Amino acid sequence: MPTAASVVRGGREARVDGVEAEGERLSGGPPHHCCLPSEDSIPMQAAAKFLNRIGPEELERCLFAETLALVATGGQPQGHLWVRARHAPYEQEGQRVRSCLLLQAGSQGLLDGVPYSCSLTGYVSMQLETLEQEQHERLEFGAHPMERKIHMVQHPHGMTVTVTTREGEADPQHQAFSYSWASLEGLLGEAASLLLLRVLACRRAVPPSITFPAIDKEGHLCTTTYRSLGMRQQPVGSAQGEVLVVERALHTAESIPMVWHYSLLPSGHLARRVQVGCPVVAVLQDAPALSGMGAEPQPLFPKQLLDWEEDAQLCSWFLDRKEELRASHSTYIQQHPELFALLADFLQALLLRQPPDPILFAAEFFAPFARHQPPGPSFASSISPSPFCSISCPNPLAQGD
C-alpha cells in the first residue's frame, strides 16, 4: 500500500496524504483516470435514460428489510447479511431538506476464519442518483486489524470520493478524488445497485448489454454490467421456488472483474448471493417469503431479549431515527415562526384567567381557528362548567351569589 508518496496516473498527481485529484472543478477538465473512453458515452447515456424511466411505484415495492444467513461451502454458518430500504429526509449544508430513499446494509461473520464486518449507508434519489454514500469494511487480523472507508458525496460540480485506509495502529491514509458531472452520467452507487436489483427482480427481466459507470473500492471510476442468466429452480428453506439469476460484474482497469450471481424472487427479495471465488454464500432461509401470498414471515432466529443500547445495529437505528425526527421538527418550526406567538398568547390568557378547567379553556381558546366551528364568546370556560368533567365544576358566579 502506498504511503505519502505521489501516485502518478495519466500525467496527473493524486496524493495519498489527502490532496484532491485535480478534476474539472479545479482545472477545467476531468483528470485522465476520471474519464471514460469516448466510445462508452452512448452506453452511459442509455444507462442514464434507463434509470430515469424507473417509476416511483416500482421503487415503493422495493422498500422492505430482509436478512440472509452466510454459510460456507460445507454448510457451516458463518454469519448474517441484512439489507433495509425506506424513505428518509436528506439535507446538505446550505440546501433544503429533500425526500429520498435510505438504503442500509451490513454483514458480519467469518471469512476464512477471520472475523470481518461490512456496512453500507446510502442516500439515493427517486431516480437512483447517489446523493451520499459511505462504505466501511473491517478485517480483524488479531492485533493487526485492517479498515477501509469509502465516502461519496455530491457537490455542485460533480462528486467527491474519499478513501480512508488503516492498518493496525498506523495513521490512517487518505485519498480524495473529484469527478465532474460529464463523467458521472448514469452513475450507479452500491446502494443504488441493490435497489436496481430489486426492480429487475420485480420486472423479471434484465435489459441486454446494460452498463453503468461505478466507483470501485480504490475510489476510481469503472463500469458495472448486468446480465440475465435465466430463470431457475432453487431451494429456499424447505421449499423450492423459481428465481431470476442476475450476474453483476464490476470491471476495473487494474484488476480482473469482480462477479456476483444474485438469485431473486418475484417479490424482489434476495434468495441467494454468490461472489465468484468467495467460499461464503448468502442464502435466504425464510421459506414463507417465497410465496409472496401474504403469509406472515417467520423469524429467522428465535426471539431473544435484546438490550438495544448494547446492540450496535439497534442503537444505530435508534440514533438515526432520533436525528431524523429532530431535523424534521426543527425544520417545521423554522417554517412556521407563528407557532411561538400562538403558544405565548395562549399561555398568557390561561395565566390571566386561571380557569378551573384548563382543558375546556384551551378548546374554546383555539375554537375560532376552526373553519367549521361557529363563533362563540371568548373565554367562556371561566364562567361555565366543563362538559369534559364527569362532575361539573362549580360556577364561579354562583359561588359569588
Side-chain angles (χ1 to χ4, degrees), residues 250-274:
L250 190 68
H251 306 272
T252 63
E254 301 177 355
S255 61
I256 62 174
M258 298 179 63
V259 181
W260 296 266
H261 291 170
Y262 296 89
S263 300
L264 301 159
L265 295 170
S267 62
H269 288 77
L270 181 62
R272 185 181 181 91
R273 189 201 67 179
V274 179

Side-chain angles (χ1 to χ4, degrees), residues 17-173:
D17 56 6
V19 178
E20 209 172 76
E22 294 195 355
E24 181 177 275
R25 180 165 60 90
L26 303 178
S27 63
H32 187 273
H33 71 282
C34 296
C35 291
L36 294 171
S38 59
E39 60 268 19
D40 289 341
S41 59
I42 295 179
M44 300 311 168
Q45 293 175 1
K49 292 180 180 179
F50 175 81
L51 295 179
N52 290 332
R53 285 196 291 265
I54 297 177
E57 66 283 353
E58 292 185 281
L59 293 175
E60 287 291 336
R61 299 177 59 186
C62 301
L63 303 183
F64 55 82
E66 59 183 340
T67 303
L68 291 85
L70 298 176
V71 298
T73 52
Q76 301 87 353
Q78 300 292 306
H80 65 278
L81 165 72
W82 59 272
V83 183
R84 182 179 69 161
R86 58 185 175 87
H87 287 287
Y90 176 73
E91 181 180 14
Q92 280 186 308
E93 186 176 355
Q95 298 184 11
R96 62 178 179 85
V97 179
R98 57 188 295 187
S99 177
C100 69
L101 304 178
L102 171 61
L103 187 134
Q104 297 170 298
S107 62
Q108 190 174 17
L110 298 174
L111 184 61
D112 292 333
V114 178
Y116 79 96
S117 61
C118 302
S119 65
L120 168 68
T121 301
Y123 289 90
V124 182
S125 72
M126 298 301 290
Q127 292 75 38
L128 294 188
E129 175 188 13
T130 300
L131 306 175
E132 187 172 357
Q133 176 181 290
E134 180 167 292
Q135 294 175 260
H136 184 200
E137 302 175 353
R138 182 179 176 89
L139 282 172
E140 299 287 351
F141 286 109
H144 193 75
M146 299 180 62
E147 285 187 88
R148 180 193 300 270
K149 292 183 181 179
I150 308 171
H151 182 257
M152 303 166 51
V153 63
Q154 282 192 8
H155 56 73
H157 303 280
M159 178 171 289
T160 297
V161 181
T162 304
V163 181
T164 303
T165 57
R166 183 175 184 179
E167 295 186 13
E169 300 299 326
D171 293 334
Q173 303 293 315

Side-chain angles (χ1 to χ4, degrees), residues 5 8 21 45 68 77 79 124 129 162 164 170 180 232 242 246 298 302 316 334 343 347 350 375 377:
V8 179
Q45 293 175 1
L68 291 85
V124 182
E129 175 188 13
T162 304
T164 303
S180 65
R232 299 180 185 177
E242 187 178 56
V246 178
Q298 300 298 319
S316 175
Q334 292 175 5
L343 294 176
L347 289 175
L350 180 69

